[in-house]
Amino acid sequence: MLQAILYQRSSLHVLNQLLLPHQEIYDRISSVQDAWRAIHSMSVRGAPAIAIVAALSIAVELAVVGGERHAGEGENNDDDGDDAARLNSAAEVAKIDIFRKLDYLVTSRPTAVNLADAARKLRRVVERAAERAGATRGSVQEAYIEAAERMLVDDVEDNERIGRYGAEWIVGNCERGKEDGKVSVLTHCNTGSLATAGYGTALGVVRSLHARGSLEHVFYSETRPYNQGSRLTGYELLHDGIPATLITDSMAAALLCLKGGSENIVAAVVGADRVAANGDTANKIGTYALSILARHHKIKFLVAAPKTTIDLNTTNGEAIVIEERPPQEMTMLKGPRVSSDGIIDVSSTEQISIAPKGTRAWNPAFDVTPAELIDGIVTENGVVEKGKDGRFCFDDLFNAHDRAIHSNGQPERMPSPSEGP
């Protein structure tokens, strides 16, 4: 299975997804500025991966600075009152510095709720560490680093559970699955190892179906205009040897109409960048259209995402801020030159125009799928289905403490990117 994030303390490298599928190049992330640029440019993408890379970029900075400090004089640990006050002040300075870095990184992709959620959790860790008796700059930084590293491990474990629960739900809720036959599914964008710390969410469900011998075929859309499906999902499926076929976004309706029965397509499964409190889901542009097609053709429509993607502070989809990307992403294409005999020359990359000069383009990165078109939301704690009232309820996913954190009124102000860390 592919690894998009390579981390050791003081070292972070991420697979540059803008160069896939033709080149596997890992970029070094040595600062929060590096991470912000990687996330905003989409060389790192996928809501879970964004959160992990952002968190670890600060950990790398802190580990490097901590190592340099210990190589020097270090902190004086005398017991006099002046020194205690100085240590407390150093701990407070460390806390404020980490808070500013977190706030800055959240601005890199505002729609991805996992990033804001990770920042909130890490702020609480740092707050508690700074309040401890005898807290020092080093102890606060170490507490942050350990928490960020734990997020990396937890994400892989959560994704594996999402995959298992989703696969079990599909097999148990579709007639073809109940008959012990193999099923086919349709997916959109990239939700695999490249979009997470490992395994994947919606693509994790596909992996689990394949691992248990229940997958006949997966169809995946190219996902215009950034082509995450054709470039990234295709790359992962070929890498793992999973039977798959690429379609353009506009072919989904024809696929379900003409081949849905013969190919045993029983479900569409997608990821999410933000799930509102009522179940409305923001995901890669094109997801909403796919949900309408799924309903018309009577196949299941599943959203697969960790519960950190569920934002109880956002009432419904109307409150979700939709990022708009540059129009050039629609009017131009970039890729390596292909010779007349089919050889791909990765050393020669070209950008070409596919629209008349002066074309105006509207390029929202996401759309919102209404909750009524979603059959289930797969999380690491299980599959949430609608109640008898036809509505999603996430109470069982969150304990009272979690709900208080997720429903804490208006979100905190985030600095503009120009303010820096």
Side-chain angles (χ1 to χ4, degrees):
M1 188 169 59
L2 287 172
Q3 278 190 287
I5 301 172
L6 303 179
Y7 172 80
Q8 293 181 331
R9 188 165 290 203
S10 303
S11 174
L12 174 63
H13 291 80
V14 297
L15 187 59
N16 187 332
Q17 297 184 32
L18 296 175
L19 301 178
L20 291 175
H22 305 297
Q23 297 182 76
E24 268 192 42
I25 294 179
Y26 285 84
D27 293 335
R28 181 183 178 186
I29 304 294
S30 57
S31 68
V32 295
Q33 290 92 346
D34 288 346
W36 194 97
R37 285 190 292 268
I39 294 167
H40 190 68
S41 70
M42 294 179 66
S43 64
V44 173
R45 40 142 311 277
I50 286 169
I52 297 298
V53 169
L56 290 177
S57 70
I58 299 177
V60 167
E61 274 198 3
L62 297 180
V64 171
V65 170
E68 292 173 349
R69 185 181 68 248
H70 291 309
E73 296 180 357
E75 291 176 329
N76 188 341
N77 291 312
D78 295 338
D79 293 329
D80 59 82
D82 289 343
D83 187 63
R86 186 184 64 79
L87 290 178
N88 287 336
S89 175
E92 187 69 15
V93 169
K95 180 188 79 171
I96 293 171
D97 177 57
I98 292 171
F99 282 7
R100 291 178 64 229
K101 294 178 191 298
L102 287 168
D103 288 346
Y104 170 64
L105 285 165
V106 168
T107 68
S108 60
R109 290 305 293 276
T111 307
V113 70
N114 304 60
L115 177 53
D117 183 80
R120 283 193 296 269
K121 290 177 179 177
L122 291 166
R123 285 172 71 98
R124 294 199 300 274
V125 169
V126 172
E127 189 79 55
R128 288 194 295 267
E131 290 174 351
R132 293 191 186 103
T136 66
R137 176 175 56 185
S139 67
V140 171
Q141 292 174 340
E142 180 63 24
Y144 175 91
I145 293 171
E146 290 179 358
E149 291 173 343
R150 184 66 217 176
M151 282 185 171
L152 178 65
V153 175
D154 288 346
D155 187 65
V156 176
E157 294 175 353
D158 289 347
N159 290 337
E160 290 174 347
R161 286 194 292 271
I162 288 170
R164 184 173 70 252
Y165 286 131
E168 290 172 353
W169 192 94
I170 290 174
V171 170
N173 285 273
C174 301
E175 290 303 317
R176 179 71 178 179
K178 292 177 183 177
E179 297 168 358
D180 294 327
K182 289 188 175 184
V183 300
S184 296
V185 296
L186 173 61
T187 192
H188 184 60
C189 199
N190 175 257
T191 55
S193 298
L194 297 173
T196 64
Y199 203 73
T201 53
L203 205 57
V205 175
V206 173
R207 280 194 168 97
S208 291
L209 284 169
H210 180 63
R212 60 183 288 162
S214 299
L215 181 71
E216 182 172 322
H217 210 81
V218 57
F219 294 87
Y220 62 102
S221 62
E222 64 175 345
T223 320
R224 282 280 292 151
Y226 233 67
N227 299 319
Q228 294 98 324
S230 58
R231 291 190 301 109
L232 307 179
T233 297
Y235 187 75
E236 289 198 48
L237 293 170
L238 286 169
H239 182 277
D240 289 1
I242 297 174
T245 296
L246 170 68
I247 63 171
T248 67
D249 298 2
S250 56
M251 291 177 185
L255 172 71
L256 295 177
C257 178
L258 301 176
K259 291 180 172 287
S262 62
E263 295 286 349
N264 299 316
I265 303 174
V266 301
V269 56
V270 301
D273 281 78
R274 186 181 296 255
V275 178
N278 72 334
D280 291 351
T281 297
N283 192 49
K284 186 54 56 185
I285 192 74
T287 302
Y288 178 26
L290 190 58
S291 71
I292 294 172
L293 294 175
R295 179 59 54 91
H296 179 75
H297 290 279
K298 297 180 174 57
I299 68 170
K300 302 296 184 182
F301 188 85
L302 282 181
V303 170
K307 71 177 188 178
T308 53
T309 310
I310 300 170
D311 183 6
L312 299 182
N313 196 46
T314 299
T315 305
N316 54 47
E318 294 180 0
I320 297 176
V321 177
I322 300 298
E323 175 189 0
E324 293 193 14
R325 302 286 300 177
Q328 291 81 5
E329 292 178 356
M330 292 179 62
T331 61
M332 296 183 182
L333 288 176
K334 186 177 181 179
R337 179 190 291 271
V338 181
S339 67
S340 58
D341 53 359
I343 297 176
I344 298 173
D345 181 6
V346 296
S347 66
S348 178
T349 299
E350 294 185 353
Q351 184 165 300
I352 63 171
S353 174
I354 59 171
K357 186 176 181 180
T359 296
R360 296 179 64 182
W362 178 55
N363 187 18
F366 307 94
D367 56 29
V368 176
T369 300
E372 55 263 31
L373 295 177
I374 300 171
D375 292 299
I377 297 175
V378 190
T379 76
E380 67 271 30
N381 290 358
V383 182
V384 181
E385 300 179 65
K386 296 170 194 166
K388 294 181 180 179
D389 61 356
R391 298 180 179 181
F392 285 109
C393 179
F394 300 113
D395 286 351
D396 290 343
L397 284 181
F398 301 100
N399 58 34
H401 177 66
D402 288 333
R403 286 197 295 275
I405 292 167
H406 279 75
S407 303
N408 60 354
Q410 294 298 316
E412 297 178 0
R413 173 193 174 273
M414 298 302 176
S416 69
S418 62
E419 290 179 54

